[in-house]
Amino acid sequence: TGDQWGYGKEDGPSAWHINYPVALGNRQSPIDIVPDETTLDRDLGPIFLDYDSCTSINISNNGHSVVVEFVDSDDRSMIRGGPLDNPYRLKQFHFHWGEKGHEGSEHTVAGLGYASELHLVHWNAVKYRSFTDAASAPDGLAVLGIFLETGDDHRWLHLITDVLFMVKYKDSVTDFKGFNPKCLLPNRLHYWTYLGSLTTPPLHESVTWILLKEPIVVSDKQLGMFRMLLFNGEEEDERKKMENNFRPPQPLNGREVRSSN
Ligand SMILES: NS(=O)(=O)c1ccc(S(=O)(=O)c2ccccc2)s1
Ligand SMILES: [Zn+2]
């Protein structure tokens, strides 16, 4: 089946173009954000996150990351404003991270990576009738990216790290209800935005990226819990720690990166 990609030497980002030629496209993600080269756009309004009625369903290990899924059959958890012409529905969030003491974010800022990056994936349910249809449309997805840097314990991240042992193996899933991702936002919602793609196969060029400038702080210990996860399934002999599940920055190809104030 198509899902034979990974982050190793043989199946990693440099090989993805073989099965996913769009990997060599002109609006690929992530990118290096160079703040001095972004365009301050005064017409860019604030983003609004209406997550108060959000309904988380489960948390799972898909062999590439740990994913929390949400009910997206109505407009109960939305992102709107900023660069978006429509409100977009929250579908899932997941993380990317490195190995102990090394970088792990996907986007970089002036060449510097963060320890990890959280992606909240939303889809345009106004224009498209399903997530799948939206996922391959140029204005189908909006991903809110939040950088994680290491420091003190994050007061709410333990709600996630406490259950990671339940999803240690690929294709494991467990109930995860009542989690509101609002608790993972930084204080200020200033952002950069640009048109890009999924950062994993199928690499669809369907994402309006909204990257918050202010990182959240998590502890090394909390981030270390993510590395207890495995890329492989329980039935496999090999035990590969899930870490370094990030794609490196891709060519900007002349794209504009806009900055809210
Ligand atoms: N890292 S990222 O936020 O860019 C990202 C990669 C894959 C997804 S998806 O699982 O939503 C998805 C979306 C469309 C097709 C298949 C999976 S989101
Ligand atoms: Zn991601």
Side-chain angles (χ1 to χ4, degrees):
T1 61
D3 206 19
Q4 305 306 318
W5 61 272
Y7 291 94
K9 191 155 175 29
E10 308 291 315
D11 62 2
S14 54
W16 291 351
H17 69 95
I18 299 164
N19 289 329
Y20 304 92
V22 72
L24 305 173
N26 61 12
R27 60 171 276 191
Q28 288 291 293
S29 294
I31 59 170
D32 179 42
I33 306 273
V34 184
D36 292 354
E37 294 169 11
T38 63
T39 311
L40 174 63
D41 184 339
R42 297 186 193 291
D43 296 342
L44 265 184
I47 54 169
F48 296 98
L49 299 164
D50 306 323
Y51 288 164
D52 291 342
S53 310
C54 78
T55 310
S56 61
I57 302 167
N58 61 36
I59 186 167
S60 63
N61 174 337
N62 64 8
H64 312 297
S65 181
V66 56
V67 186
V68 173
E69 298 260 1
F70 289 82
V71 170
D72 66 342
S73 48
D74 61 27
D75 284 357
R76 66 181 67 193
S77 25
M78 308 301 284
I79 184 172
R80 59 187 173 82
L84 304 174
D85 293 339
N86 297 128
Y88 286 58
R89 272 186 201 167
L90 178 64
K91 166 84 176 156
Q92 55 106 308
F93 71 74
H94 62 274
F95 298 82
H96 303 263
W97 59 91
E99 61 189 77
K100 186 154 174 47
H102 289 252
E103 306 308 10
S105 66
E106 299 212 292
H107 291 86
T108 53
V109 180
L112 297 178
Y114 284 88
S116 171
E117 189 171 327
L118 162 60
H119 291 156
L120 293 125
V121 184
H122 309 75
W123 63 282
N124 187 338
V126 169
K127 279 187 70 174
Y128 305 101
R129 41 200 308 271
S130 70
F131 174 79
T132 304
D133 287 357
S136 51
D139 58 351
L141 301 180
V143 182
L144 182 68
I146 301 175
F147 294 117
L148 280 64
E149 68 179 13
T150 49
D152 295 335
D153 263 5
H154 187 283
R155 70 167 39 223
W156 303 110
L157 192 66
H158 73 87
L159 294 172
I160 292 174
T161 56
D162 285 351
V163 302
L164 293 180
F165 75 97
M166 300 281 284
V167 289
K168 185 180 170 77
Y169 297 103
K170 175 177 179 177
D171 298 334
S172 52
V173 57
T174 191
D175 277 358
F176 193 63
K177 303 221 179 342
F179 183 82
N180 184 331
K182 228 173 168 72
C183 68
L184 297 176
L185 299 176
N187 298 322
R188 314 297 297 272
L189 297 184
H190 301 301
Y191 62 88
W192 294 293
T193 184
Y194 76 99
L195 298 180
S197 73
L198 298 173
T199 65
T200 70
L203 299 168
H204 293 324
E205 296 187 328
S206 60
V207 181
T208 297
W209 279 95
I210 299 172
L211 293 161
L212 297 186
K213 295 183 182 180
E214 183 186 337
I216 61 170
V217 179
V218 306
S219 65
D220 257 326
K221 187 165 157 289
Q222 289 177 313
L223 211 47
M225 306 285 277
F226 283 82
R227 297 187 194 98
M228 128 193 25
L229 300 168
L230 300 178
F231 280 123
N232 47 275
E234 189 166 7
E235 71 294 341
E236 294 173 54
D237 297 339
E238 204 179 1
R239 292 274 178 276
K240 285 176 290 182
K241 262 197 298 187
M242 188 178 277
E243 57 187 9
N244 297 320
N245 54 350
F246 61 93
R247 187 190 195 190
Q250 302 301 307
L252 188 59
N253 292 323
R255 282 174 283 177
E256 182 178 62
V257 180
R258 292 184 290 160
S259 171
S260 73
N261 71 312

